[in-house]
Amino acid sequence: MSASVEPVAKLTSLSQGAGCACKLPLSKLESLFSTFGTNLGTATGDLLVGALEGDDAAVYRLDDERAIILTTDFFTPIVDDARDWGRIAAANALSDVYAMGGTPLIAVNLTAWPANDLPMELLGDVLGGGSSIADEAGCLVVGGHTIDDPIPKYGMAVVGMAHPDKLFQIDQLAAGQTLVLSKALGTGVISTSIKAGGAEDSWIEGAVGSMTTLNAEAAAIAREHGVRAATDVTGFGLLGHLHRMVRASGLAAEIDAASVPVLPGARDAIAAGFVPGGTKSNTEHLAPYVRVEDGVPEDTAVLLHDAQTSGGMLFAIPDGVDVDAVVKSLRAKDLPAAAVGRVVEGEAGQVSVKV
């Protein structure tokens, strides 16, 4: 990990949750949004994707060739190294642009910082980490906004660009398509083990490496193969994000439990009891929609619900496209990608986890 100023306290000790596991639960958000009716910004005219569509970001068409993508994401410390936290938060914020099939163009920082309790030099490490990831993405960081807050938070608001006819959207699944996941699961349980002081160095190294890997290559490969249905896997877990995709598409899905890639140390973290509250909330909320077959290992079921931070792309391969070739292309970019399931006819939003 990168060097940084020694913090007054462990950064992860300063927040109740960590990373995307500190999101409000999906059940509470859906209940809240249902009270807004159509006033929340449904897509109409040049607004191609609004809030009511429940997608990863908003999209506004400028002309026949260009659409802008707008998103934001920020969270409390997920690791204790300040620069790594900045890198992870930036990669996570940029991810929603890739999840819509776009390219990040410009971003501003969003920062909350306890100025009297933590060194400003430490904040400099956070911002420097975020800037390094934005540079890697070819995205300009042009300022931001800071407030004094006892709980540190960091992220970005990002604007990207895409072709309006080549967007990725969650409601574009078709029965028979194969589902591909580009990154391994387990960042939620590993980040919880970091917060509790129980993580091994190899676990941290693997999780940080995964969370700071941009989804740019995965998105480019998906575009190359004509993908139209995609999302990124973050706080709602693999099953939560897949549930939202199949519900929006009026279909169901099956996941092959044994095919899902898992980060080193993730199963050990679960065995040691390091399961975040966000993962438990996901499991409870999804219970009416998810059926896990007997024989699926208990820790695998936890990981499928695990609240991820800066997770991989989940996308559906169009008919006629060689799935093995797509997976091979992703792995050639050092992504632990796998075909993890399929889209099927069935009750909208239902997901079955197969042995």
Side-chain angles (χ1 to χ4, degrees):
M1 292 183 294
S2 54
S4 66
V5 177
E6 185 69 23
V8 174
K10 280 186 52 160
L11 285 175
T12 53
S13 72
L14 301 178
S15 63
Q16 181 176 355
C20 288
C22 68
K23 282 184 175 180
L24 288 174
L26 179 58
S27 58
K28 292 185 178 181
L29 289 174
E30 289 186 339
S31 177
L32 172 65
F33 292 156
S34 68
T35 66
F36 287 104
T38 59
N39 296 322
L40 200 57
T42 187
T44 182
D46 287 326
L47 180 62
L48 303 181
V49 181
L52 284 184
E53 282 67 47
D55 223 310
D56 292 293
V59 182
Y60 187 86
R61 178 172 49 211
L62 298 177
D63 53 40
D64 290 344
E65 301 292 326
R66 301 176 301 160
I68 57 170
I69 301 169
L70 177 62
T71 184
T72 185
D73 210 311
F74 62 94
F75 48 69
T76 54
I78 188 169
V79 292
D80 291 312
D81 184 284
R83 186 173 178 85
D84 282 344
W85 172 33
R87 294 168 66 221
I88 293 165
N92 185 74
L94 295 168
S95 185
D96 281 343
V97 173
Y98 296 125
M100 300 300 297
T103 301
L105 294 180
I106 193 169
V108 293
N109 292 312
L110 303 173
T111 308
W113 196 255
N116 293 326
D117 298 322
L118 290 178
M120 293 300 291
E121 294 84 358
L122 199 65
L123 175 57
D125 278 347
V126 177
L127 298 177
S131 179
S132 70
I133 290 293
D135 286 347
E136 183 182 336
C139 179
L140 298 173
V141 181
V142 293
H145 183 67
T146 59
I147 62 170
D148 194 304
D149 192 300
I151 300 176
K153 305 171 186 72
Y154 174 65
M156 290 178 168
V158 186
V159 174
M161 188 74 73
H163 193 289
D165 296 330
K166 298 179 181 180
L167 295 172
F168 301 160
Q169 293 180 251
I170 64 171
D171 63 353
Q172 295 299 303
L173 294 171
Q177 292 179 329
T178 297
L179 296 165
V180 168
L181 177 65
S182 67
K183 288 187 186 181
L185 301 181
T187 63
V189 296
I190 292 174
S191 62
T192 300
S193 73
I194 294 171
K195 181 176 172 62
E200 296 185 9
D201 289 345
S202 60
W203 305 1
I204 300 173
E205 182 179 357
V208 170
S210 179
M211 291 186 288
T212 55
T213 297
L214 290 169
N215 280 328
E217 297 283 9
I221 290 170
R223 280 195 301 270
E224 178 185 341
H225 289 90
V227 165
R228 289 293 176 266
T231 189
D232 61 340
V233 179
T234 55
F236 303 145
L238 174 64
L239 293 180
H241 286 282
L242 178 56
H243 157 68
R244 296 174 77 235
M245 290 184 78
V246 290
R247 182 182 61 183
S249 302
L251 295 163
E254 297 174 348
I255 289 291
D256 299 320
S259 299
V260 178
V262 175
L263 284 169
R267 296 187 190 277
D268 296 317
I270 294 170
F274 299 125
V275 179
T279 300
K280 295 175 182 177
S281 295
N282 288 342
T283 304
E284 181 180 352
H285 174 67
L286 293 170
Y289 313 106
V290 171
R291 183 177 67 85
V292 180
E293 285 188 350
D294 294 339
V296 173
E298 185 176 346
D299 57 2
T300 298
V302 172
L303 288 166
L304 293 173
H305 291 91
D306 193 34
Q308 302 300 282
T309 297
S310 192
M313 294 274 292
L314 175 66
F315 55 84
I317 306 300
D319 292 342
V321 174
D322 186 339
V323 175
D324 291 338
V326 175
V327 172
K328 184 178 180 179
S329 296
L330 291 165
R331 291 181 178 175
K333 300 297 184 180
D334 295 324
L335 295 169
V340 296
R342 65 205 60 84
V343 183
V344 297
E345 298 285 357
E347 185 178 350
Q350 297 295 305
V351 180
S352 299
V353 180
K354 306 290 186 180
V355 177

